[in-house]
Every structure is written in C-alpha cells, then in structure tokens.
Amino acid sequence: MRKGSIAASLFWLSAGWLVLALVATGFLLTDLYSRALDTSLSQTLEFHVESLTGALLEAGDPVSPDIALTDPRFDRPRSGWYWAIRDANGTLYNLSTSVVGIDLPVVTGPPDVLGRRTAVMDDVFGTRMRVVERAVTVAPTTYHIVVTGNLSEILELVDDFRGQAFIVLGAVCVMLAVMSFIVARFALRPISRLSKAIENVRSGDTGVVAGTYPREIAPLAEEVNELLRSNAQIIERARNQVGNLAHGLKTPIAVLRNEAGARKGALADVVLAESDKMSTMVATYLERARLAARTSVVGKRADATMVMLRLTRVMSKIHPDVTVAFQRPDASLPWFRGDEADLEEMAGNLLDNACKWSKGQVGVRLDAERGDTGTILLIRIDDNGPGLTEEDAQKVLRRGVRLDEKTPGSGLGLDIVKELVDVYGGSLELKRSALGGLLVELRLPTARLGSMAKPVAS
C-alpha cells in the first residue's frame, strides 16, 4: 500500500515546473531583447534616412559632397552599414565609402504612410542587414535614399544574451530547487513526527499519540487516539460479555452434570457426555476470547531472548533426559511485538512438544528475518525425534488431532499456538529437521529493540 514519498513528489513537481517556467522565461527575455535591439536599429536607420533626406533637400543636388553621415561605420567596407542615393532606374548619385564592390538590394513592396519601405536582406558577403528606403522628390526627379544596418551584429548579441541568460536562470533554478527541497522537508516534518508517534504506540513505548501538530494533521492524531480509546472500550466490553456468558452457562451445565451423575441409564450417560462437551467448548471459546482481547491491545512487547532462555531452563527441569541447546542471538535481535504471556504460550507449547517427541536432543534458535512488511522474529525449534510426514504435519495443526494416543496431552496445544499465531499475523511451519526429527519455524511480528533491555544471564 506504500507509494512514493510526498516530499519527493513535491520536489520533482516543483523542480519540473521551475525548469519549464525558467526555460520559457529565458526564451521570452531573449525575444524581448531581440525585439528591443531590432527596434533600436530601425530607429537609428530611420534617423540616418531623415538626415540624408534633409541634406539632399538642403543641397538640392544628389551628388553634392555635403550629403554625408558622420557615423564611422559607413566608412568601413563590408561593415553592413551602407547608404546610397539613386533614382527609380537604379542610377547611383551618391553613396557611402563602405559601398565597395557591392550592389545594394532593391526593396520591394508597398511603402508606409511616410513613404518608407523596410526589409531584412543579405549582402554579397553574407551579412544580414536591416534595410530602410525612402523616396524623396527634388523636382523634377524622385530619388530613393537607402540606408542599411548590420543585423548580424544584433543576432550575435542576442545569442550571447541567450547564453548568459540561461546560465543565470540555471543557477536560479538550482537555488529554487534547493529551496523547494528544504521547504518540502520542513513542511512535511510534522507528518514524520506523527508517524514516529504512531510507531511508538505500536511498539509499546506509549499508549497514545503524543505531541503538538499543525491544524492540517492535528485531527488525524486526535482520530487515532479516539480510535485507540474506542478499541480498548470495545475489547473490554466484549471481554465482560463473554465472561458473563460463560459464568451464566457454568451453573446450568454443572446442574446437568450433577443430575446426570446421580442417575443411571443411557439418557444420563448421554447428558453427562454432552455436558462435558459443552464445558470444554465454553472453556475453549473463553480462552479464544481472552487471547483475541489480549492481542488486540496495542503497546505491548517482549524480549524474546529472555523468554526463550527462561523456557529452556524450565523444559530442562521438566524433561531431565532431554538436552535443550539454546543458540543465543546477538543483542540486535528485535523484540516480539505482543504480550509476553502469549509468546511464552506459543513457544512453550512448541518446545514442550519437541521435548516429548525427541530422542534426547532439542535445538532452539532465534533470528531476525526480512519480510515484505519489515523485520520478522523467527523462532526455530528442532529435535531428533521421528519427525512427521507432510500429510501428518497438516493433520497435527487441526484441533484435537493426535497421531499417538500414548503420549500424554489433549491435542489442543498446536491448535492454540496456531490460533495465537493467526491473531498476531504470523506463520507456523513444520519441516524436516537437520537433526532427523521435526523442525518448527515460528514467525512473529517485531517491535523496536527494547531500550531498557537487561542483559541475559548465562
């Protein structure tokens, strides 16, 4: 049910949007800069056209040496800055020093309201130019004044500006991305604290979700606490109801047994037998309710190493002819997440069965195993007894099934273990042991390592 991190999603979403926005900004700034330079060039050329027009009208003669521009760029050949005065037939009357070995292009198209034409063309040297042309009439002849400016220089400036703009915007993007990452981490820190508080409840460090949270997630913490309180109330109420039912049934069953025991005959035998079955069922379901209620309460944990060491010592006294070898785990072994009495009941039943069926040798090991839902506590108990076939291994997990009536017991031990394992969401497997007998693998949920764990005496 887990998906990607919210912080990572926010970071990549904001980073992607920043890149897109800054790239668009870079192109927009470049386009604005290009338009500004082109407008400035057009205005400069129009100024030169007006200057030449005024000089022509003042001189009255297109070949007059007084018609000139002071801009030194018009004196440099191949500069892209040219001017010329010609008539409608293309006859040149005057031109700039820079017009050497080239023919100025003719601008076509309709003129504007001021009689000017403008266009973008290339000269014979491959230089891109902005061309402005204006018609001026000095009776009886109409002259065309053509002025060009170097547009390639502007395009180079635009390219340089684009490169510098993207370098600056790239640096801004990196800084904003870092800021987005920091903001996402700080903004989601209360969620991490809430997750930590819930984990503390689940691991048994505290009974409620503690802490102060922003108003966006504070209702969630309050709802979790309310759920914990409601769960405890439901469990307590169910436990009381089951207890009341059991106590209510005990008296009628006891009366039936007493009356049946005081009489003789087939009917009395049937009543007595059925009364015994009812007593067993009531006791069994009482035990189930007790286990379900106890394991449903969060906030409990137990040191599996301590429990197993205690059980091996007890079993060594109960079965003095059996050697129980306990392989001590290291200190990093996680604790069992649940009630210590439940762990003793599960492991004790399994260890007792191993001692009963073994030929004098039983091994106990504790390990931590990585599972789909996190770390799992693995308890292995094996013996050198006769073992079980795969079919028999399935049978013994059923309620009351016994493969050998000579061995003392009711046959309910493994079934109780299986029921507890199911309640805790663990698993129980019966396999062939390397010692030749049965290997039991019990997998149970874990809590964090106990902070107040005491060293186990050897």
Side-chain angles (χ1 to χ4, degrees):
M1 296 183 63
R2 293 190 178 185
K3 292 191 71 175
S5 167
I6 297 178
S9 299
L10 288 176
F11 170 74
W12 288 115
L13 182 62
S14 60
W17 176 250
L18 280 173
V19 170
L20 182 63
L22 291 177
V23 168
T25 301
F27 282 109
L28 177 62
L29 290 176
T30 302
D31 183 67
L32 292 175
Y33 182 66
S34 175
R35 290 173 182 268
L37 291 180
D38 189 44
T39 300
S40 177
L41 177 62
S42 297
Q43 292 174 349
T44 300
L45 296 179
E46 289 172 2
F47 173 77
H48 290 320
V49 168
E50 296 299 329
S51 298
L52 291 173
T53 299
L56 174 61
L57 292 176
E58 184 179 351
D61 183 5
V63 297
S64 171
D66 294 331
I67 301 175
L69 294 175
T70 58
D71 193 330
R73 290 176 291 185
F74 291 101
D75 297 331
R76 191 170 68 252
R78 302 179 61 174
S79 64
W81 292 85
Y82 313 117
W83 66 266
I85 300 175
R86 59 193 177 191
D87 58 17
N89 297 322
T91 303
L92 286 172
Y93 292 92
N94 209 339
L95 47 80
S96 64
T97 307
S98 58
V99 183
V100 177
I102 64 172
D103 294 325
L104 292 180
V106 177
V107 182
T108 59
D112 59 15
V113 293
L114 298 177
R116 292 175 299 191
R117 296 186 180 92
T118 182
V120 176
M121 298 179 178
D122 294 334
D123 64 9
V124 295
F125 305 112
T127 302
R128 180 62 57 93
M129 303 179 300
R130 169 69 68 182
V131 183
V132 177
E133 180 182 292
R134 180 179 178 183
V136 178
T137 300
V138 179
T141 307
T142 298
Y143 299 99
H144 294 271
I145 301 176
V146 180
V147 181
T148 69
N150 194 328
L151 191 59
S152 294
E153 293 177 348
I154 292 178
L155 295 178
E156 291 177 0
L157 290 174
V158 171
D159 289 339
D160 292 341
F161 176 81
R162 182 185 295 111
Q164 295 173 1
F166 278 114
I167 291 174
V168 173
L169 291 175
V172 172
C173 182
V174 171
M175 290 187 291
L176 291 178
V178 172
M179 184 189 70
S180 298
F181 174 78
I182 295 174
V183 169
R185 296 293 293 180
F186 275 93
L188 295 177
R189 184 168 290 181
I191 297 180
S192 299
R193 289 194 291 109
L194 177 60
S195 176
K196 182 74 171 177
I198 295 175
E199 177 63 22
N200 289 338
V201 173
R202 196 170 68 97
S203 300
D205 294 336
T206 181
V208 295
V209 177
T212 304
Y213 303 96
R215 63 173 176 266
E216 290 81 4
I217 63 173
L220 177 59
E222 294 170 0
E223 288 298 322
V224 171
N225 283 331
E226 181 62 23
L227 181 61
L228 292 172
R229 186 189 64 80
S230 176
N231 182 55
Q233 288 181 348
I234 291 172
I235 292 170
E236 185 63 29
R237 188 160 53 247
R239 182 188 301 159
N240 293 335
Q241 290 175 354
V242 172
N244 293 336
L245 177 62
H247 287 298
L249 289 175
K250 279 182 179 180
T251 301
I253 292 174
V255 171
L256 289 175
R257 292 182 64 184
N258 291 336
E259 292 296 326
R263 287 171 173 77
K264 303 293 181 180
L267 179 60
D269 293 339
V270 171
V271 172
L272 188 60
E274 294 303 317
S275 299
D276 290 337
K277 288 182 181 179
M278 285 191 291
S279 296
T280 302
M281 291 179 64
V282 168
T284 299
Y285 283 101
L286 266 178
E287 180 66 12
R288 284 188 176 184
R290 182 185 66 82
L291 295 178
R294 193 169 66 200
T295 54
S296 298
V297 179
V298 296
K300 293 186 178 181
R301 58 181 180 175
D303 186 351
T305 303
M306 292 281 291
V307 171
M308 294 308 299
L309 183 62
R310 187 163 58 246
L311 287 175
T312 54
R313 289 173 175 169
V314 171
M315 292 303 165
S316 297
K317 294 178 181 178
I318 296 175
H319 305 278
D321 56 333
V322 177
T323 301
V324 182
F326 178 41
Q327 184 175 333
R328 291 278 298 275
D330 56 38
S332 63
L333 183 75
W335 285 28
F336 165 63
R337 190 174 73 242
D339 192 80
E340 183 174 320
D342 292 339
L343 180 59
E344 287 184 351
E345 189 156 5
M346 289 183 285
N349 269 295
L350 296 175
L351 189 55
D352 185 50
N353 283 338
C355 291
K356 288 179 181 177
W357 290 94
S358 73
K359 297 179 181 179
Q361 188 176 357
V362 173
V364 180
R365 287 171 292 169
L366 296 179
D367 290 299
E369 188 179 70
R370 193 68 183 174
D372 296 335
T373 58
T375 305
I376 297 173
L377 177 64
L378 175 58
I379 302 176
R380 290 188 179 98
I381 301 174
D382 53 357
D383 59 70
N384 63 343
L388 294 174
T389 64
E390 186 175 347
E391 183 179 357
D392 290 340
Q394 297 298 324
K395 287 182 180 179
V396 297
L397 293 178
R398 300 174 189 166
R399 171 169 292 277
V401 173
R402 298 184 58 197
L403 300 180
D404 188 355
E405 297 295 336
K406 297 178 181 179
T407 303
S410 63
L412 296 176
L414 279 178
D415 187 75
I416 293 175
V417 173
K418 184 66 167 62
E419 199 162 299
L420 272 173
V421 170
D422 291 339
V423 170
Y424 279 107
S427 66
L428 178 65
E429 294 183 61
L430 305 181
K431 300 179 179 180
R432 173 65 62 176
S433 169
L435 298 177
L438 183 67
L439 170 62
V440 180
E441 291 187 348
L442 176 61
R443 290 175 172 83
L444 297 170
T446 61
R448 290 197 303 270
L449 187 65
S451 58
M452 300 299 293
K454 299 178 182 179
V456 180
S458 56

